Amino acid sequence: MSLDLDQALQTYIAEARELLQDMEDSLLRLESDPNDADTIGAIFRAAHTIKGSAGLFGLDPIVSFTHIVEDVLDRVRDGDVVIEPNLIAVLLESGDHMLHLVNVVAAQGEKLDADAIKREGGLRIRLQAYQDNSSEVSHAIQVEAEIPLQSSGGGLVETDNWHISLRFGQNVMRDGMDPLSFLRYLSTLGEIVSITTMFDALPIADEMDAESCYLGFEIDFKSEADKATIAGVFEFAREGSLIHILPPHSKLTEYVELIRSLPESETRLGEILVTTGALTQQELEAGLSEQQTSARPDGSTTPLGEILVEQRSVEHEVVQAALDKQTQSKDSKSKENRYIRVQADKLDELINMVGELVIAGAGVSLLAQRVSDNPLQEAASVMSGLVEEIRDGALRLRMVPIGETFNRFQRVVRDVGRELGKDIELVITGADTELDKTVVEKIGDPLMHLVRNAMDHGIESAAIRQATGKSVKGTLRLNAYHDSGSIVIEIVDDGGGLNRDRILQKARDRGLIAPNVTPPDQEIYNMIFEAGFSTAEAITNLSGRGVGMDVVKRNITALRGTVSLDSAVGQGTTVSIRLPLTLAIIDGFLVGVGKSSYIVPLDMVHECIELTENDRQAASERSYLNLRGEVLPFVMLRDHFEVEGSGARRANVVVVSCAGQKAGLVVDELMGEFQTVIKPLGKIFSTLRGISGSTILGSGEVALILDVPSLVQQAVNRESQHVSTRQVIH
Amino acid sequence: MGKAILIVDDSASVRQVVGIALKGAGYDVIEGCDGKDALTKLNGQKIHLIISDVNMPNMDGITFVKEVKKLANYKFTPIIMLTTESQEGKKQEGQAAGAKAWVVKPFQPAQMLTAVSKLILP
Amino acid sequence: MPISATNKNGQSLLHIDGDMTIYTAADMKSELMTHMAQPCEREIDLSEVSEMDSAGLQILILAKREAEKHGTSLRLTGHSRAVLDVLDMCNLASYFGDPVVLSCNENKGQ
């Protein structure tokens, strides 16, 4: 396969996957609204396109199976088949199988294995029930009608040339068909031995319409091509035209018939045929004198064009009615979506380059400041403004709505619900919320885990729900929204909630919480994210809740995100995932401790205050500050990172907030906002707490990016320990 | 410079493959992703042939053909409809609207090339 | 206008410029027929015909036939490549009966 075609195949694979996803979404939509013509149309179009394009690449297994699906969908569209749950189930499975076909046949270039073939066989049988078997019959009849030529009686003529007699319909040129084009193409199939242009039909000047066609041709043609190929040359001009094709050594009677059926006089046509060598003089005379009225043995020798003309006139009205109907439904479908398909690599590369540009820009600004050249500084600041816009624009290119990811769960919820025998409805909100594609790709698995868990262990069985006075149908909600530079994804179920006491007990048993300490409820619930925390008995009816929750947490942490859980007994559980919008660049706030620089993500910075001497004194005793009467846990970065040297004369507190909790970070110096290109830390640093990445400053120095959520958590924990130890002491 | 062909299909892979085949044969190829988009390509440039799918979002092929037939500079342009076997009705609708040539989907690039050659040679 | 006319020694000289296709055929026909109404010898210069299809060919045939009907003569001259191709393919050169001259350049084109 050529490089170009290979690329086209990649386009096809991506396109087919997308269409199959759309098809699935639409099918699920049909469950609630089975008569939505737009949705049905969209499903049909998906199958139609997948099949059509597969044919281009010779992917016959895809064509052959999709054809059946398309056929059934066509009947649905025409209203011959009614949408019902079984049909949706078959179509959903067919969609899965088509995806499998695309993955195996198109993407890997392999054949289906025995299992898949068996599955396909089953699907074919189930689909057949919805197919119209009569259509095949009528198709067969039509094919037969198109084979003319044979008949008996009369001798064979001598010439070994084909004779082609053409009288074009008046409308061919108006329809965009140029008779000369057909002749040009004909001459690529063989040799035009002789040609006579017939314009007897051309009326006098006043009556002649310059856009109508009055031309005809008598052609003797030498070619090895078969009749179908030669007839095929004129297939687009059949309508309204008289086309006769006599193969070499045709029967004389057929020539006679031809002469009779043409508009020009017998003598004139006879002359032409003799002059061009199609017939000899003797053949002509013998033929014409035979005056047989039985020359037409049966309908089969009727010229092709005539058959078609007759058929057209009958069906025209029906066609028009159908046409009007189609147009109406199509017009209502109008939905603006104009996309350019760009390779993800190219975007990544662009974003990388923008990252470098941001760093370089910072270097320029720094230099401009050093030389204190005002115009230069001004220019640099204009430039960095633009760079910032480019950065945002570039990142936005990679932002995609989370809806697509959410929608995938429609199917999961439906299937798992059936498996579990629970009737659960998935409600999606905030589907338009956008986040970076790289984040989207990685969030699928953790989400899947959480959704399955919520269905399996969160939502109770119908019997229990009824007993507790809840509606029998359970609800699972996926929600997303933006919150201070992060995206928050919530998985909410209206199930029984977590059993707080059991978890507490379990945590104490495992030594995760001291026996005499009772942390706030929220903290207890979040214990289930601890590694290996839960076992079936641990939380009784919520048995598996904890299984693999630590894995979920790990995955989310790896994305610089956090996960937390809230629950109310009998009312349900909410899991919130908080993720950065992008993994590439953030607005940072640069702070200094000693000679080191650190970056705090700007959207987490709440305010900055000076650390007064009093506070400093007080802080050394207790682990919180007094922020206008509020308790503010804090972390001394100098101590935390063991920065050398004594504390600066003055210290500042950066108040950060994360997931509703505030904490103070004590630093020496506040250096202002800084666009931060995130460079991931190497593996060696993966155990480092409180650092989430690094960046390069304009000066070329490295600055570490603070992992604020973990620092906040640390500060809060330390503060509450302080509190609890105090409680114990007193 | 070859003769220009406008290919209208919502499937990027179809456009790509047909484009490769036609360019290989010496034609110039212009793409439209649906009827509406394709109409914007009929902006005065010379187009010798149009290939259009039937089922497309925004503006389907039949409507598109009807629109082309209203344009003084393009109304005599030959149009090849991409139909499917199961859509005999669609083919006839297309013909009634003025698209007298057709290629049945799924097709191989060579089949498309043959159909095009009957109407215009590069 | 695609057809310009000049008069020389009582002979009318028509010059066709541009395409002779279905898009121009209707205009071309009415213009040409206006010229054909005058009873005189005439010559049509086809050297600037850039494209010709069946519709264009029909116009030429019509002109020839009208001339015959009026008993005047019609000569086609300077056939461009596009015109020659069509007359060749339809085997009509002898019908028009005009000497056909190919320039070297045009010859190379094929």
Side-chain angles (χ1 to χ4, degrees):
Chain A
M1 194 176 286
S2 79
L3 195 64
D4 281 350
L5 266 185
D6 197 43
Q7 229 166 40
L9 182 64
Q10 296 311 318
T11 309
Y12 170 68
I13 293 167
E15 181 180 273
R17 285 179 182 152
E18 222 164 85
L19 286 166
L20 284 168
Q21 186 60 53
D22 289 351
M23 183 168 146
E24 185 177 300
D25 296 346
S26 303
L27 279 170
L28 292 167
R29 220 167 14 236
L30 278 191
E31 275 192 330
S32 52
D33 189 1
N35 297 318
D36 184 5
D38 286 355
T39 309
I40 294 172
I43 299 171
F44 171 80
R45 231 181 12 247
H48 174 77
T49 305
I50 290 170
K51 177 185 121 182
S53 309
L56 276 177
F57 297 99
L59 301 168
D60 295 337
I62 301 181
V63 175
S64 130
F65 180 72
T66 311
H67 175 72
I68 302 173
V69 177
E70 185 197 14
D71 206 38
V72 171
L73 288 169
D74 197 29
R75 300 200 68 217
V76 172
R77 204 169 55 152
D78 291 347
D80 295 337
V81 169
V82 182
I83 286 286
E84 37 95 19
N86 280 331
L87 177 57
I88 292 182
V90 176
L91 289 173
L92 280 172
E93 283 175 54
S94 298
D96 290 345
H97 184 66
M98 283 157 70
L99 183 61
H100 185 69
L101 279 166
V102 168
N103 288 339
V104 173
V105 180
Q108 294 162 21
E110 284 168 16
K111 290 211 168 80
L112 288 187
D113 59 25
D115 277 358
I117 291 173
K118 200 170 141 202
R119 193 171 58 221
E120 179 170 322
L123 285 169
R124 277 174 183 261
I125 291 169
R126 287 162 67 194
L127 285 166
Q128 236 161 39
Y130 300 98
Q131 272 183 300
D132 178 12
N133 299 318
S134 62
S135 70
E136 316 242 333
V137 180
S138 72
H139 188 69
I141 291 170
Q142 223 184 336
V143 172
E144 258 169 53
E146 286 191 30
I147 305 167
L149 226 260
Q150 78 267 216
S151 88
S152 56
L156 303 178
V157 302
E158 273 179 20
T159 179
D160 47 11
N161 290 336
W162 295 77
H163 185 80
I164 303 169
S165 176
L166 306 167
R167 297 295 180 278
F168 287 101
Q170 291 212 352
N171 282 325
V172 288
M173 300 190 317
R174 253 181 234 112
D175 291 335
M177 312 286 148
D178 183 0
L180 296 175
S181 301
F182 298 123
L183 298 186
R184 283 192 192 102
Y185 180 67
L186 182 69
S187 61
T188 65
L189 298 177
E191 183 197 346
I192 295 179
V193 180
S194 80
I195 181 167
T196 308
T197 302
M198 309 292 291
F199 43 86
D200 304 51
L202 193 71
I204 56 163
D206 288 347
E207 288 168 18
M208 185 243 190
D209 180 338
E211 289 164 8
S212 288
C213 183
Y214 305 99
L215 297 178
F217 298 92
E218 293 294 324
I219 301 165
D220 290 306
F221 185 57
K222 193 185 186 88
S223 173
E224 298 297 313
D226 59 16
K227 175 151 179 159
T229 310
I230 295 177
V233 173
F234 307 103
E235 74 176 323
F236 299 147
R238 276 201 295 217
E239 191 183 317
S241 303
L242 292 175
I243 297 163
H244 299 258
I245 298 168
L246 300 181
H249 309 297
S250 283
K251 298 191 176 62
L252 189 51
T253 47
E254 280 156 356
Y255 275 91
V256 173
E257 176 127 354
L258 167 66
I259 293 173
R260 296 230 161 91
S261 64
L262 290 176
E264 295 84 4
S265 77
E266 284 183 10
T267 343
R268 171 151 160 70
L269 288 165
E271 260 173 48
I272 290 170
L273 291 176
V274 172
T275 323
T276 62
L279 294 178
T280 63
Q281 187 66 36
Q282 287 84 345
E283 282 170 343
L284 177 68
E285 281 166 13
L288 289 178
S289 65
E290 257 178 48
Q291 297 300 339
Q292 287 170 352
T293 39
S294 61
R296 187 168 288 191
D298 58 66
S300 64
T301 54
T302 317
L304 270 181
E306 282 179 22
I307 294 178
L308 288 171
V309 174
E310 280 162 18
Q311 285 180 342
R312 286 283 128 67
S313 56
V314 175
E315 288 174 25
H316 186 74
E317 264 175 310
V318 184
V319 169
Q320 194 57 44
L323 181 79
D324 293 347
K325 206 176 120 204
Q326 281 299 331
T327 329
Q328 278 176 351
S329 68
K330 277 285 152 54
D331 286 351
S332 63
K333 177 81 195 158
S334 276
K335 194 177 95 191
E336 282 295 336
N337 52 350
R338 298 182 161 266
Y339 291 120
I340 304 175
R341 197 180 291 273
V342 179
Q343 271 188 331
D345 302 359
K346 287 189 186 167
L347 273 187
D348 293 348
E349 206 175 302
L350 174 72
I351 286 169
N352 264 341
M353 291 306 291
V354 171
E356 298 298 327
L357 179 64
V358 169
I359 293 174
V364 172
S365 300
L366 196 72
L367 283 179
Q369 262 168 19
R370 266 195 211 151
V371 298
S372 357
D373 178 336
N374 275 342
L376 181 60
Q377 271 182 31
E378 218 163 280
S381 107
V382 169
M383 194 190 73
S384 48
L386 289 172
V387 167
E388 216 165 296
E389 276 174 42
I390 292 174
R391 175 202 69 178
D392 290 348
L395 285 176
R396 229 175 292 128
L397 288 179
R398 222 169 46 175
M399 297 288 254
V400 292
I402 196 159
E404 212 173 295
T405 310
F406 278 1
N407 278 328
R408 241 188 291 154
F409 288 101
Q410 290 282 12
R411 178 74 183 274
V412 174
V413 168
R414 178 184 175 280
D415 288 354
V416 174
R418 285 201 172 182
E419 218 173 275
L420 296 171
K422 293 178 185 173
D423 188 5
I424 300 172
E425 186 191 11
L426 177 65
V427 179
I428 289 173
T429 46
D432 292 339
T433 314
E434 291 191 325
L435 76 166
D436 198 293
K437 188 158 171 29
T438 50
V439 183
V440 165
E441 281 163 2
K442 289 174 183 155
I443 196 64
D445 284 349
L447 266 185
M448 179 70 81
H449 212 105
L450 291 169
V451 166
R452 278 178 175 274
N453 259 331
M455 293 182 65
D456 198 358
H457 311 297
I459 295 177
E460 320 90 321
S461 67
I464 297 178
R465 290 182 68 91
Q466 205 155 26
T468 50
K470 286 183 181 176
S471 83
V472 178
K473 192 174 200 166
T475 306
L476 184 67
R477 212 157 62 82
L478 285 175
N479 181 34
Y481 58 91
H482 281 160
D483 180 45
S484 59
S486 305
I487 181 172
V488 179
I489 301 171
E490 291 178 338
I491 301 102
V492 186
D493 67 55
D494 66 346
L498 291 178
N499 188 331
R500 174 186 168 279
D501 297 342
R502 292 273 180 161
I503 299 172
L504 184 60
Q505 188 56 49
K506 181 81 190 169
R508 285 190 173 141
D509 290 352
R510 304 196 116 228
L512 293 166
I513 298 177
N516 47 7
V517 173
T518 305
D521 287 359
Q522 174 119 28
E523 216 167 289
I524 296 174
Y525 291 137
N526 283 296
M527 294 305 294
I528 70 165
F529 288 111
E530 295 301 319
F533 177 77
S534 104
T535 59
E537 331 79 75
I539 14 184
T540 59
N541 63 325
L542 302 165
S543 53
R545 253 267 187 217
V547 175
M549 286 300 234
D550 57 321
V551 180
V552 171
K553 184 172 185 180
R554 208 159 53 227
N555 285 342
I556 291 168
T557 312
L559 295 171
R560 293 196 292 118
T562 57
V563 58
S564 65
L565 184 146
D566 203 3
S567 183
V569 177
Q571 288 172 31
T573 306
T574 301
V575 179
S576 307
I577 299 173
R578 180 177 284 267
L579 291 167
L581 288 181
T582 170
L583 301 177
I585 301 173
I586 54 168
D587 273 320
F589 187 73
L590 194 59
V591 297
V593 178
K595 281 179 184 162
S596 310
S597 304
Y598 298 90
I599 305 273
V600 185
L602 187 63
D603 28 67
M604 292 177 175
V605 175
H606 209 260
E607 61 183 310
C608 297
I609 49 176
E610 199 183 333
L611 187 69
T612 59
E613 198 50 43
N614 279 347
D615 284 338
R616 202 198 280 248
Q617 289 289 326
S620 55
E621 288 162 24
R622 43 164 216 240
S623 55
Y624 66 91
L625 299 170
N626 180 349
L627 178 67
R628 297 183 289 272
E630 211 180 305
V631 172
L632 183 74
F634 71 91
V635 176
M636 298 283 252
L637 284 190
R638 174 177 293 281
D639 296 346
H640 184 87
F641 293 115
E642 294 168 9
V643 178
E644 286 178 12
S646 59
R649 200 161 36 80
R650 288 175 55 202
N652 292 285
V653 181
V654 180
V655 180
V656 292
S657 70
C658 172
Q661 286 178 316
K662 275 189 197 168
L665 303 177
V666 180
V667 301
D668 294 350
E669 206 181 341
L670 302 175
M671 297 190 280
E673 291 177 28
F674 179 74
Q675 275 193 76
T676 310
V677 181
I678 300 175
K679 305 268 177 192
L681 285 176
K683 274 232 157 63
I684 325 171
F685 303 107
S686 60
T687 53
L688 217 58
R689 292 194 64 178
I691 297 293
S692 66
S694 67
T695 190
I696 296 167
L697 302 177
S699 61
E701 281 169 52
V702 171
L704 296 173
I705 300 166
L706 297 180
D707 178 3
V708 173
S710 96
L711 286 172
V712 169
Q713 203 53 52
Q714 221 171 312
V716 172
N717 285 348
R718 212 156 50 92
E719 191 258 347
S720 55
Q721 266 165 25
H722 258 269
V723 174
S724 40
T725 28
R726 270 202 309 278
Q727 278 172 345
V728 173
I729 293 164
H730 291 291
Chain B
M1 202 191 67
K3 300 242 170 75
I5 299 180
L6 172 64
I7 159 95
V8 190
D9 198 311
D10 55 331
S11 159
S13 61
V14 168
R15 295 198 304 270
Q16 226 169 323
V17 175
V18 170
I20 292 166
L22 293 176
K23 281 179 200 154
Y27 298 97
D28 288 342
V29 178
I30 296 154
E31 294 183 15
C33 59
D34 57 50
K36 216 165 166 186
D37 182 44
L39 283 178
T40 66
K41 308 291 161 90
L42 299 176
N43 52 4
Q45 61 181 326
K46 207 156 190 171
I47 296 213
H48 294 84
L49 177 86
I50 296 170
I51 300 169
S52 173
D53 192 17
V54 176
N55 295 287
M56 291 181 292
N58 295 326
M59 184 191 283
D60 68 300
I62 309 280
T63 314
F64 170 62
V65 171
K66 288 180 180 168
E67 289 300 317
V68 172
K69 288 286 162 191
K70 290 181 198 160
L71 301 172
N73 290 327
Y74 296 98
K75 60 179 173 181
F76 301 127
T77 310
I79 303 174
I80 298 181
M81 271 277 157
L82 303 179
T83 63
T84 55
E85 282 162 49
S86 49
Q87 291 182 292
E88 186 60 26
K90 280 282 165 195
K91 181 167 126 189
Q92 295 184 9
E93 270 179 60
Q95 298 203 345
K100 303 291 176 173
W102 66 90
V103 169
V104 176
K105 268 185 170 183
F107 56 85
Q108 297 277 313
Q111 288 170 289
M112 173 56 76
L113 213 50
T114 303
V116 168
S117 315
K118 288 174 188 173
L119 300 171
I120 55 162
L121 288 175
Chain C
M1 274 285 117
I3 302 183
S4 53
T6 47
N7 246 305
K8 209 167 66 184
N9 311 330
Q11 199 191 24
S12 156
L13 194 92
L14 304 177
H15 182 92
I16 298 182
D17 199 352
D19 291 354
M20 289 186 78
T21 64
I22 182 151
Y23 287 104
T24 57
D27 287 349
M28 189 92 51
K29 178 201 158 196
S30 63
E31 243 186 286
L32 207 52
M33 288 309 118
T34 321
H35 291 294
M36 298 301 295
Q38 295 147 14
C40 66
E41 306 264 294
R42 65 181 55 79
E43 192 178 304
I44 303 180
D45 177 3
L46 299 172
S47 58
E48 296 301 320
V49 175
S50 45
E51 203 178 305
M52 184 184 233
D53 64 5
S54 301
L57 173 65
Q58 286 190 150
I59 300 295
L60 280 190
I61 295 174
L62 185 72
K64 181 77 180 172
R65 220 178 53 183
E66 288 296 300
E68 279 170 355
K69 215 164 68 186
H70 292 109
T72 59
S73 73
L74 171 70
R75 251 198 332 273
L76 304 182
T77 60
H79 309 66
S80 71
R81 184 82 250 170
V83 179
L84 273 180
D85 279 350
V86 173
L87 297 190
D88 244 15
M89 188 161 58
C90 300
N91 193 22
L92 281 171
S94 61
Y95 168 70
F96 289 103
D98 304 296
V100 164
V101 183
L102 290 178
S103 79
C104 307
N105 267 346
E106 281 167 342
N107 242 338
K108 267 189 215 154
Q110 278 294 298

